[in-house]
Amino acid sequence: MKKEFLLAPGPSQVPAETLLEMAKPVFHHRTKRFQNIFAEVQEGLKYVFQTKNPVLVFASSGTGAMEGSVSSVLSPGDKAITVTGGKFGQRWKNLCKAFGAEAIELTVEWGKSVDPETIKDLLQQHKDVKAVYVTLVETSTGTLADIRKIGEIVKDTGAILVVDAVSGLGADKLLTDEWNVDIAVAGSQKALMLPPGLAFAAVSEKAWKAIENAKTSNFYFNYKKAKASLDKNDTAFTPAVTLIIGLKKSLDMIKEETIEKVWKRHADNAASMRSAVEAIGLKLFSSNPANAVTAVVLPEGVDGLAFVKKIRDEYGVTMAGGQDHVKGKIFRVAQMGYANQFDTVVASSAVEMVLSELGYKFDKGSATKAAVAELIKRGVK
Ligand SMILES: *Cc1c(COP(=O)(O)O)cnc(C)c1O
């Protein structure tokens, strides 16, 4: 019998409570019934984002909200700084290109966090930069960025700070307003305990001014249009009714746990996962690891593609491999969303079993032992 464990960095596990809500019959969205739910969802989103500003909701994957934060903010020819330290950072540059903006790309070695001072230097060299695009958790490398520091730098300039928090929101700490983040974007299928299909954007007053002044030619991901509808507690187009109903349930669960405890749960599980792999001589890929996802360097001689395939197809535990130049060299295991301490234990034991099968020599059981010991040390219940 094979039981499935979804421990990939998106899509991630969805609680049964949320799935059951989404199994109910669909109803019409231009109704008081939907509006009441949508209003509650709005409050829940503000809480998770830690913002007082409205949070736009789109029926799309996370990239839709990213696209809107470029196409609604930048006019053709505008300059923007984009930080690339992995696959998702690259997306910012590609989006700028797609909309005719000039991306000044700050490249960071994969697995390293951007040094906020380098952003400061670039902003001083280019006074006409309209926006700075960064990633809270670079999912391809499992790396966390220091958004608070970057926010302090960008806030006193004419530029706005846009953060891709698609995988980070609800896993790694993000204080959107306090950290001076002007646009934070997220998606439903990472740490928000939902299937794929919703994208979000929390937008500040400063960002709205930039949006007002932009000469844009977008349509579906037009932030202004989305905001005009949101002001009437509505959406510009047909909302993903079923996902919004599920979202209400998942947001209620986060609220009940409290966001601080949600962050702590991710921190505990990530620490447990890290000690597991380190206990059997594996190295972390990131020098500043995020809590949402752990990227691990596979030992020399172990076929990384076989590892990911085997652990999923034969053991039922889905993790992700590496992308681009680290393909076959790392694996990524998520702690995001609906995951608790026992998911970490499952992950550790599955990693041991597969590595053992692939010929790696280590003290059997020591990764799982370290994972459990770390959880006990942290008093996780
Ligand atoms: C998953 C993810 C995205 C969005 O990807 P979609 O497939 O469009 O949902 C963007 N940024 C990061 C960091 C992600 O992890």
Side-chain angles (χ1 to χ4, degrees):
M1 191 270 271
K2 192 168 81 185
K3 191 168 166 184
E4 299 276 353
F5 296 86
L6 183 56
L7 304 180
S12 60
Q13 301 175 81
V14 179
E17 294 92 320
T18 299
L19 292 171
L20 284 170
E21 281 301 313
M22 293 192 299
K24 292 178 179 169
V26 176
F27 57 85
H28 201 269
H29 56 289
R30 307 293 181 207
T31 56
K32 191 80 197 136
R33 182 177 173 194
F34 181 76
Q35 285 210 323
N36 288 342
I37 292 175
F38 198 53
E40 285 187 52
V41 158
Q42 191 53 221
E43 288 316 303
L45 285 170
K46 286 180 182 172
Y47 175 66
V48 176
F49 275 97
Q50 295 284 292
T51 184
K52 290 197 168 60
N53 295 314
V55 182
L56 309 176
V57 180
F58 297 97
S60 77
S61 81
T63 306
M66 290 175 75
E67 172 164 331
S69 75
V70 172
S71 65
S72 299
V73 168
L74 302 178
S75 312
D78 276 353
K79 273 190 200 165
I81 294 171
T82 66
V83 176
T84 304
K87 268 314 240 194
F88 290 103
Q90 264 167 23
R91 190 162 296 176
W92 283 132
K93 182 190 72 175
N94 294 338
L95 279 165
C96 287
K97 258 199 197 154
F99 290 94
E102 185 191 331
I104 303 165
E105 191 184 27
L106 185 54
T107 323
V108 182
E109 191 187 328
W110 282 40
K112 296 243 156 68
S113 296
V114 63
D115 175 359
E117 290 301 315
T118 57
I119 294 178
K120 191 178 191 172
D121 293 345
L122 267 185
L123 280 166
Q124 273 163 1
Q125 277 170 46
H126 304 272
K127 303 268 189 219
D128 51 349
V129 159
K130 291 272 165 64
V132 177
Y133 291 91
V134 297
T135 314
L136 172 63
V137 174
E138 176 48 81
T139 317
S140 62
T141 68
T143 303
L144 184 68
D146 191 344
I147 301 300
R148 191 181 59 79
K149 274 222 183 94
I150 298 169
E152 272 167 21
I153 289 164
V154 180
K155 87 170 196 283
D156 297 324
T157 70
I160 63 161
L161 174 61
V162 185
V163 176
D164 169 357
V166 175
S167 63
L169 185 81
D172 286 87
K173 186 174 180 181
L174 174 67
L175 304 178
T176 302
D177 289 357
E178 204 179 310
W179 291 357
N180 302 293
V181 175
D182 294 300
I183 302 180
V185 302
S188 52
Q189 82 276 25
K190 303 290 172 79
L192 294 179
M193 308 193 289
L194 278 176
L198 290 178
F200 313 103
V203 187
S204 76
E205 284 297 324
K206 187 179 174 188
W208 282 119
K209 287 204 184 87
I211 291 166
E212 283 303 323
N213 294 330
K215 283 193 279 304
T216 54
S217 55
N218 58 3
F219 189 82
Y220 187 78
F221 295 112
N222 185 303
Y223 275 22
K224 246 193 284 188
K225 194 155 51 189
K227 171 69 159 48
S229 296
L230 189 61
D231 287 343
K232 295 177 279 175
N233 192 23
D234 208 344
T235 53
F237 307 101
T238 309
V241 178
T242 305
L243 287 168
I244 302 260
I245 292 163
L247 176 60
K248 178 173 158 8
K249 187 73 202 175
S250 291
L251 289 172
D252 284 349
M253 289 171 72
I254 291 175
K255 199 142 196 199
E256 200 185 316
E257 185 178 359
T258 78
I259 192 72
E260 290 78 15
K261 288 199 177 136
V262 168
W263 292 328
K264 171 148 195 321
R265 171 164 52 81
H266 285 81
D268 288 338
N269 295 336
S272 167
M273 195 66 230
R274 293 193 285 260
S275 37
V277 293
E278 286 176 334
I280 53 171
L282 306 188
K283 294 220 158 30
L284 299 173
F285 182 67
S286 177
S287 56
N288 187 28
N291 294 330
V293 55
T294 302
V296 184
V297 181
L298 281 157
E300 278 299 319
V302 167
D303 178 350
L305 299 180
F307 174 90
V308 174
K309 193 170 183 313
K310 216 176 220 329
I311 204 164
R312 181 191 63 225
D313 296 347
E314 296 176 31
Y315 290 79
V317 183
T318 302
M319 297 181 184
Q323 295 160 290
D324 288 1
H325 64 276
V326 292
K327 196 175 168 138
K329 298 196 174 117
I330 67 169
F331 73 88
R332 294 173 297 141
V333 52
Q335 292 84 46
M336 56 179 65
Y338 190 58
N340 78 358
Q341 66 271 36
F342 299 109
D343 293 279
T344 303
V345 177
V346 165
S348 308
S349 52
V351 164
E352 290 202 53
M353 290 178 196
V354 176
L355 282 180
S356 171
E357 237 201 275
L358 290 173
Y360 180 58
K361 299 273 181 285
F362 61 98
D363 180 16
K364 311 287 186 285
S366 54
T368 309
K369 182 177 168 188
V372 174
E374 182 68 27
L375 292 167
I376 291 172
K377 191 178 98 190
R378 288 171 165 257
V380 174
K381 280 189 199 147

